[in-house]
Amino acid sequence: MPTCRRKRVMLKELTASLLEDAKNDPSTPVFYMEQTGEIFADYESYAARLSFYKLKQFQCEVTGKSGLDYFQALESEQQEARTLHARFPQPLKAPVLRAVQWQVVGRLDHLVEAVYDRFKDRYFEGERVYVDIQGDRYWARVVKVFPPRSQRTRASSSTSDSVQPPSDDETEPHRISGDLKIPVAQLNSTDDPKGYYYKVQLIEEGVGTDMEYPESKGKGKSAPKWSSSLMEVQCEAMSRDRLSFSKSILRRFIRDCVDRDAAVASPWTVKKSIAEKYGVENIMPEETRKGVEEVKNKEIEKRKKVWEDKEGPPTKKQKKMEERGKLGNDPALKAKEEEQRMKEEAAQVVELPPLPKKKYVKYPTEDLDVVLSQRERAKRIAANGHTRSVRPKPFTDLPFENRIFESLLMTWSFFTAFGTPLKLSSFTLDELESAIRHNDLDQPVTLIAEIHSSLIYALRALSTHRHSAVVSLLQEEDEIDPEGVTTAELTDALADIGNNWERQPLRVDEGRSGWEEAMIGCIKDQATVYTFPTLRGVLTRLLFTSDSPETSSSLPASPMSGTGILRRASPHDRYYLLPPEDKIGILAFLCDAVVSHKEIHLFMENCETNLTQLRKEKIEVKKERKKIETQDSKEVKPESEDPEQDILDLESELSEADSDPIPDSDGDGSDAETASGAENGRSRSIRQKDLRFKAANQAHSKQREIARAKTASAKQAQAEHRRLDEEDNKLERRMESIEREFRKWSGVVRLKPLGKDRFHNRYWWFDGIGNSALIASGGTVTYGAGRLFVQGPTIADVEVMERKQKEDDPSFDLLERRQDEEGPDGILGIGTWGYYTEPEQLVEIISWLNVKGNRELKLKDNLNKWADHISGGMRKRATDLTLNARLPEARRSTRKNAPEAGRHSEPYLLWQNRKAPTALS
């Protein structure tokens, strides 16, 4: 059975209520899980159990593989069991199972050791073995087993004394079943395996009673010389293939075939189905049962004795008390002992239990297990100045309801990712939203016409089923829809529209005229009521209108809400009056249909190629940066920050030394006798002065040379350091460019969220994907959505969190914690969308995340990585919204067409498709 957290996963048994319902009302509906055979009374329990089975937390008990779901682990065990039973020698299965039946052995390893020692030198009839002949090994099949001569003599003597033939026990070789606790040496003394003779027949490789194994090829020779030869050998010349019989194979075979109860000293028992298959007795004999009970009672008594002896030897105090008791029954001594005993009992009563040891937790860990302590809060406040205990509340005022807004996001991200193969220029999410809300018939929207035309041109290359929408509508019951149009009327109206959509020209210079009829023709050949659930209502609102005076042409609501007469209308006049959910539904269906286009697939393959190239380039850039870092660390810093100043200081010292006067020698010079001596002393001092001056000049010139060399070296080192810094900055900018390019192409192949927080809320950032750039050619910031979206947890995520609350940690209150850390108004429901538009909110989210959790660590890293671009997009979008709001006021005029002029300046009306090929027709 697969295991989960080292425990076997047992199947759910039928409850008493289900059995009672089956007796009282057999027609009661239930939910049946085909893979496991389990039956559930309601869908909630069925879905919860299936979700549990789908979790990647199960382990195959046979191979030890982990990270599997239940069904994968079960399939792995079954596959391994099939392989194991095919490899294990067939003639050896029944004797091994009879040997382990009813054995009381504590550990499975000990059981395997005992069985292996008994069977490693014993062979059975029909078994395929290796035979050693003249130093070579050959394949052979055991034809017959001859017991030792002494055993055959005893059997023959018993048959001669009695008229009846010998029993099976007397003639069966290798009668070694019984108590495995008997030593092997004692067993071999009565039934020596070396005394057996085996008649074997040499066979070709892969031929024999056992299955051929590709792994065994090459081990035994094909034996053309000895082929089909019969010979008698003993066990010393025989051996088995290690892929069919070894301790590991034997252990897996026994573990797959036997089971044991959890009670003390329970025997190993062969599973009932396997015992019946191999003829193993599955009813415990009375003698065996008594022996098992005796062993069980001995084990229980042994455990009781161990439990009683846990207190250890008597202490000194107990010895003194025993000695005092031997001295006599002293009343004073007894009173003192009683008082001491009462004090000890009172101390035991008031003694508090020891505090539980703090469990060591290795971070990062499961996010819901991380709770900030007061000490950690104080550290975060000291480091950041604040700590976010509540996540900032996201905005939930979506332009449409949650389901429609999610479809709008999907559609816009599709156009953004695949704008190049669809030949569409990029546009923002706000522009698409405004274009969908547009309902003015006199002012067509270029954006709407271009995106529909690009999809129609792409769908022309796909195979279609002519009039699939009409066929699917006719297959339904003929009924009148809420707008009052029958199926026959709707199909009649469809028969005359869009029949030539595959060849209808949609020219750019003509404003894509006729794209509405081509769109209906495309839907008519591509859609069905199953692939497009709102097909009937959308087509009705596109092809019919009401003459009721209550219906206003300026409203985008359903045009058939009045009670007037219905008449056919032109799709050109009806499209802009459709409600936004119909327009979004049409775009979503067309996007799903165009995914299989060849250009889309080629573009995705090019994206994979670009990603591979970027990965290689990223590795090279990292190597270059590491090389630069190594070179920069080897550069020796100059001893002085300004070497030129050192030279100037040295020259000033030399000039001062040159200007110092040389002192004269002492003496009056008044005596004549001393005059000549003074003259001689003066001349000597002048020569000494010249020598000192020359030595000083030489020393100073050497110092100047050394200083100039140091200055030159320092200047060179500084220049090299600047050069390395410049190269490192260039590589850093290149790395940032690679990251942007990598996000651009990887988002086309598969768009992933930035990460999830502790409550499994997903954070999405859609900018910089495919056709959308983060930085324009002039270096200015651009945006697509300009927001950070957050999506509530899925149903599976909620079940995981609730399971933690119920099973792992009953003290964990999910709702209370979400209210404390997300705020009562900040909790998002299942799949609910919200968004952030301010850079300050992004900073608060990053501060709120805790890097000790696995999910929030990854999310915080991604948010910090793209924080500048996310904040820049938010600011740019806020600036554009403010500017667009001020434009109508700045252009206010007294002329009649002033409102129209202000409306024409809306960004979504000014959008132009610069990638549209003008030659399309």
Side-chain angles (χ1 to χ4, degrees):
M1 294 292 289
T3 59
C4 180
R5 298 177 183 176
R6 299 183 180 180
K7 295 182 180 179
R8 285 188 174 184
V9 180
M10 308 305 296
L11 300 179
K12 293 283 186 181
E13 298 181 357
L14 293 177
T15 60
S17 59
L18 271 176
L19 295 174
E20 188 68 24
D21 292 341
K23 293 179 181 179
N24 299 335
D25 186 8
S27 62
T28 302
V30 293
F31 293 87
Y32 174 68
M33 189 175 294
E34 185 177 0
Q35 297 93 329
T36 60
E38 296 173 294
I39 299 176
F40 302 90
D42 51 9
Y43 178 75
E44 287 75 14
S45 57
Y46 168 82
R49 190 67 174 175
L50 184 60
S51 300
F52 171 67
Y53 285 152
K54 291 291 185 180
L55 294 176
K56 300 287 186 179
Q57 62 181 13
F58 294 91
Q59 183 178 11
C60 175
E61 191 177 17
V62 180
T63 62
K65 294 179 182 178
S66 59
L68 309 174
D69 60 32
Y70 179 83
F71 305 112
Q72 292 173 344
L74 185 62
E75 176 63 25
S76 176
E77 290 184 359
Q78 293 173 352
Q79 179 64 31
E80 287 296 324
R82 288 192 292 267
T83 305
L84 173 66
H85 284 276
R87 286 184 175 182
F88 199 80
Q90 187 71 20
L92 199 60
K93 292 180 181 179
V96 169
L97 294 177
R98 283 195 293 269
V100 301
Q101 181 74 311
W102 317 123
Q103 297 298 327
V104 183
V105 181
R107 293 175 57 87
L108 180 62
D109 295 335
H110 298 165
L111 181 66
V112 172
E113 289 283 348
V115 174
Y116 182 80
D117 292 340
R118 280 161 170 74
F119 284 92
K120 65 180 180 179
D121 293 328
R122 299 178 186 271
Y123 302 90
F124 294 83
E125 185 175 334
E127 190 176 353
R128 191 180 66 167
V129 296
Y130 288 136
V131 177
D132 191 357
I133 303 176
Q134 298 178 0
D136 294 327
R137 292 201 304 172
Y138 300 92
W139 288 111
R141 179 169 57 89
V142 179
V143 178
K144 193 171 182 180
V145 181
F146 298 99
R149 189 178 301 275
S150 59
Q151 187 174 345
R152 284 182 287 175
T153 303
R154 287 196 301 267
S156 61
S157 62
S158 62
T159 55
S160 62
D161 296 340
S162 60
V163 180
Q164 296 180 354
S167 62
D168 295 338
D169 293 340
E170 293 177 350
T171 58
E172 180 185 3
H174 306 304
R175 292 180 288 112
I176 56 176
S177 59
D179 191 0
L180 293 181
K181 294 183 179 178
I182 299 176
V184 179
Q186 181 180 348
L187 181 67
N188 292 343
S189 63
T190 58
D191 187 16
D192 189 5
K194 297 182 179 180
Y196 280 81
Y197 282 85
Y198 302 92
K199 180 185 285 188
V200 298
Q201 182 181 13
L202 300 184
I203 59 176
E204 296 289 341
E205 182 180 355
V207 179
T209 56
D210 293 337
M211 186 180 296
E212 178 185 0
Y213 303 114
E215 296 88 349
S216 302
K217 290 184 178 180
K219 292 184 179 179
K221 297 188 177 181
S222 58
K225 177 181 178 181
W226 308 96
S227 180
S228 301
S229 300
L230 291 173
M231 60 181 65
E232 288 188 3
V233 294
Q234 288 184 293
C235 63
E236 290 88 348
M238 303 170 66
S239 62
R240 293 187 178 94
D241 186 5
R242 288 191 56 82
L243 292 178
S244 62
F245 186 79
S246 62
K247 286 186 179 180
S248 61
I249 297 294
L250 181 63
R251 186 179 190 277
R252 290 165 58 185
F253 175 75
I254 294 177
R255 184 174 59 181
D256 187 64
C257 295
V258 302
D259 203 351
R260 184 176 63 173
D261 294 336
V264 178
S266 296
W268 294 95
T269 58
V270 180
K271 296 177 181 178
K272 187 176 180 181
S273 59
I274 299 177
E276 293 175 352
K277 180 178 179 180
Y278 294 103
V280 181
E281 185 179 1
N282 54 12
I283 299 176
M284 185 182 295
E286 186 64 23
E287 296 181 0
T288 305
R289 188 187 62 79
K290 290 181 180 179
V292 170
E293 290 293 334
E294 184 179 354
V295 173
K296 185 181 294 185
N297 294 333
K298 288 182 180 180
E299 185 67 24
I300 293 174
E301 291 295 331
K302 182 180 178 181
R303 295 194 177 190
K304 284 183 179 179
K305 186 177 180 181
V306 171
W307 179 260
E308 292 173 356
D309 294 343
K310 274 188 176 181
E311 297 180 0
T315 60
K316 292 182 179 180
K317 186 176 181 180
Q318 291 176 349
K319 291 180 179 180
K320 288 182 180 180
M321 296 296 290
E322 291 178 359
E323 292 176 358
R324 290 179 182 178
K326 292 179 181 178
L327 293 177
N329 298 326
D330 189 2
L333 183 60
K334 285 186 177 181
K336 190 174 181 181
E337 291 175 354
E338 184 68 19
E339 182 180 358
Q340 184 68 20
R341 186 181 61 80
M342 293 179 65
K343 287 182 179 180
E344 291 177 356
E345 291 179 355
Q348 292 177 0
V349 171
V350 299
E351 184 179 359
L352 296 176
L355 296 175
K357 294 183 179 180
K358 187 176 180 181
K359 186 178 179 181
Y360 175 75
V361 181
K362 184 179 179 180
Y363 296 107
T365 183
E366 166 58 34
D367 296 73
L368 293 177
D369 294 338
V370 179
V371 179
L372 283 181
S373 62
Q374 295 296 333
R375 184 178 180 181
E376 290 172 332
R377 290 178 183 272
K379 285 184 178 179
R380 294 183 68 176
I381 292 175
N384 304 326
H386 64 87
T387 177
R388 291 288 309 184
S389 59
V390 180
R391 187 190 66 185
K393 180 183 176 182
F395 297 105
T396 55
D397 52 338
L398 303 175
F400 311 109
E401 62 176 279
N402 192 75
R403 176 181 58 83
I404 299 173
F405 179 74
E406 185 172 343
S407 182
L408 174 67
L409 272 179
M410 182 273 295
T411 305
W412 174 79
S413 63
F414 180 83
F415 287 127
T416 303
F418 298 102
T420 301
L422 293 177
K423 298 178 178 60
L424 279 174
S425 299
S426 61
F427 50 87
T428 66
L429 180 62
D430 295 326
E431 291 173 348
L432 179 61
E433 176 192 340
S434 302
I436 288 175
R437 288 182 176 275
H438 184 85
N439 57 1
D440 188 1
L441 300 178
D442 299 330
Q443 179 61 45
V445 183
T446 305
L447 177 58
I448 294 295
E450 287 293 331
I451 60 178
H452 284 86
S453 299
S454 64
L455 293 173
I456 291 170
Y457 272 111
L459 290 171
R460 287 179 178 179
L462 301 179
S463 60
T464 60
H465 302 281
R466 301 295 293 180
H467 305 290
S468 60
V470 177
V471 174
S472 64
L473 289 172
L474 291 175
Q475 289 175 352
E476 291 190 334
E477 297 181 1
D478 190 6
E479 58 182 12
I480 301 175
D481 58 10
E483 286 80 6
V485 178
T486 63
T487 304
E489 293 174 345
L490 182 58
T491 54
D492 290 342
L494 281 173
D496 302 330
I497 297 177
N499 293 324
N500 198 30
W501 70 275
E502 294 175 334
R503 292 176 295 277
Q504 183 176 354
L506 303 175
R507 296 185 174 87
V508 178
D509 53 358
E510 296 178 359
R512 304 289 191 182
S513 177
W515 70 266
E516 295 90 349
E517 289 78 6
M519 177 192 69
I520 293 180
C522 179
I523 293 175
K524 187 168 62 172
D525 289 347
Q526 294 281 350
T528 63
V529 293
Y530 304 104
T531 58
F532 194 1
T534 59
L535 173 65
R536 185 187 182 103
V538 170
L539 291 178
T540 302
R541 287 186 282 273
L542 275 171
L543 299 177
F544 291 89
T545 185
S546 174
D547 291 335
S548 171
E550 298 177 359
T551 304
S552 173
S553 62
S554 62
L555 296 176
S558 177
M560 263 62 77
S561 58
T563 58
I565 301 173
L566 292 176
R567 63 177 177 84
R568 294 187 184 181
S570 171
H572 174 74
D573 299 333
R574 298 300 307 154
Y575 177 81
Y576 288 103
L577 297 180
L578 289 178
E581 53 268 23
D582 286 351
K583 298 178 183 178
I584 296 173
I586 293 173
L587 287 175
F589 167 74
L590 294 177
C591 290
D592 290 339
V594 85
V595 166
S596 58
H597 192 270
K598 182 179 179 180
E599 292 293 331
I600 299 293
H601 287 191
L602 290 176
F603 183 68
M604 294 182 70
E605 291 177 1
N606 292 334
C607 291
E608 291 284 1
T609 305
N610 293 337
L611 288 175
T612 303
Q613 186 64 30
L614 288 173
R615 291 188 184 98
K616 295 179 181 179
E617 191 172 351
K618 186 186 292 186
I619 294 173
E620 293 298 327
V621 171
K622 287 182 178 179
K623 288 182 179 179
E624 290 295 328
R625 294 194 67 182
K626 188 174 182 181
K627 183 178 179 181
I628 290 174
E629 183 180 356
T630 305
Q631 291 179 358
D632 194 15
S633 61
K634 291 181 180 180
E635 293 293 334
V636 181
K637 295 184 178 180
E639 298 179 358
S640 175
E641 296 181 357
D642 192 358
E644 296 181 356
Q645 184 64 33
D646 294 343
I647 296 179
L648 295 176
D649 295 340
L650 181 60
E651 290 179 349
S652 63
E653 292 176 1
L654 293 177
S655 61
E656 291 177 0
D658 294 341
S659 61
D660 288 342
I662 306 250
D664 295 335
S665 61
D666 295 336
D668 301 329
S670 55
D671 296 335
E673 295 178 357
T674 59
S676 59
E679 187 67 25
N680 293 333
R682 191 178 296 111
S683 61
R684 285 195 302 269
S685 65
I686 291 173
R687 286 195 299 271
Q688 291 176 359
K689 177 182 177 182
D690 293 339
L691 293 175
R692 286 197 302 269
F693 184 76
K694 290 180 180 179
N697 285 338
Q698 292 178 358
H700 291 322
S701 62
K702 289 182 180 180
Q703 291 180 1
R704 288 192 187 95
E705 291 177 1
I706 294 172
R708 290 192 183 96
K710 288 183 178 179
T711 303
S713 176
K715 287 182 178 180
Q716 184 179 359
Q718 288 180 351
E720 182 67 16
H721 184 70
R722 289 194 212 97
R723 186 185 65 82
L724 293 176
D725 282 345
E726 291 177 358
E727 290 185 4
D728 187 65
N729 292 334
K730 289 180 181 179
L731 292 175
E732 185 177 1
R733 290 193 295 271
R734 180 54 189 157
M735 182 64 75
E736 293 176 356
S737 176
I738 291 174
E739 291 291 346
R740 292 195 297 270
E741 290 292 319
F742 196 88
R743 173 177 172 80
K744 176 181 179 180
W745 302 122
S746 63
V748 174
V749 178
R750 183 182 179 186
L751 183 59
K752 298 180 181 179
L754 293 176
K756 297 193 292 185
D757 63 13
R758 66 198 70 166
F759 301 114
H760 294 273
N761 296 305
R762 288 169 170 80
Y763 291 78
W764 296 86
W765 182 49
F766 297 100
D767 294 352
I769 302 297
N771 207 24
S772 176
L774 293 174
I775 299 177
S777 57
T780 58
V781 177
T782 60
Y783 68 94
R787 283 163 280 182
L788 178 66
F789 292 93
V790 55
Q791 184 185 16
T794 61
I795 297 177
D797 295 334
V798 173
E799 290 178 354
V800 170
M801 292 189 289
E802 290 178 349
R803 188 179 302 113
K804 173 180 175 56
Q805 180 177 353
K806 294 178 182 178
E807 300 178 3
D808 299 343
D809 189 3
S811 62
F812 174 75
D813 191 342
L814 177 62
L815 180 60
E816 180 181 356
R817 181 162 178 183
R818 292 195 70 177
Q819 289 179 350
D820 291 342
E821 300 182 11
E822 291 184 314
D825 301 331
I827 299 178
L828 295 176
I830 296 176
T832 305
W833 287 85
Y835 62 92
Y836 297 99
T837 60
E838 300 175 2
E840 293 77 11
Q841 291 177 319
L842 177 62
V843 175
E844 292 176 357
I845 291 173
I846 294 175
S847 176
W848 178 72
L849 298 175
N850 194 333
V851 295
K852 289 185 176 181
N854 291 314
R855 295 186 294 275
E856 293 194 356
L857 173 62
K858 180 181 177 181
L859 174 59
K860 190 167 186 177
D861 289 342
N862 286 332
L863 287 177
N864 285 325
K865 179 180 179 180
W866 301 105
D868 295 338
H869 296 286
I870 298 175
S871 302
M874 289 178 175
R875 296 188 186 95
K876 178 66 175 175
R877 178 176 179 269
T879 303
D880 291 348
L881 292 178
T882 305
L883 181 62
N884 294 333
R886 292 178 181 176
L887 280 177
E889 297 181 1
R891 297 184 180 182
R892 186 173 300 171
S893 175
T894 57
R895 292 180 294 179
K896 294 181 180 180
N897 59 350
E900 286 76 5
R903 185 168 186 175
H904 293 344
S905 64
E906 292 290 337
Y908 74 96
L909 294 175
L910 301 175
W911 179 86
Q912 295 294 327
N913 187 13
R914 297 180 178 85
K915 294 184 178 181
T918 57
L920 287 176
S921 59

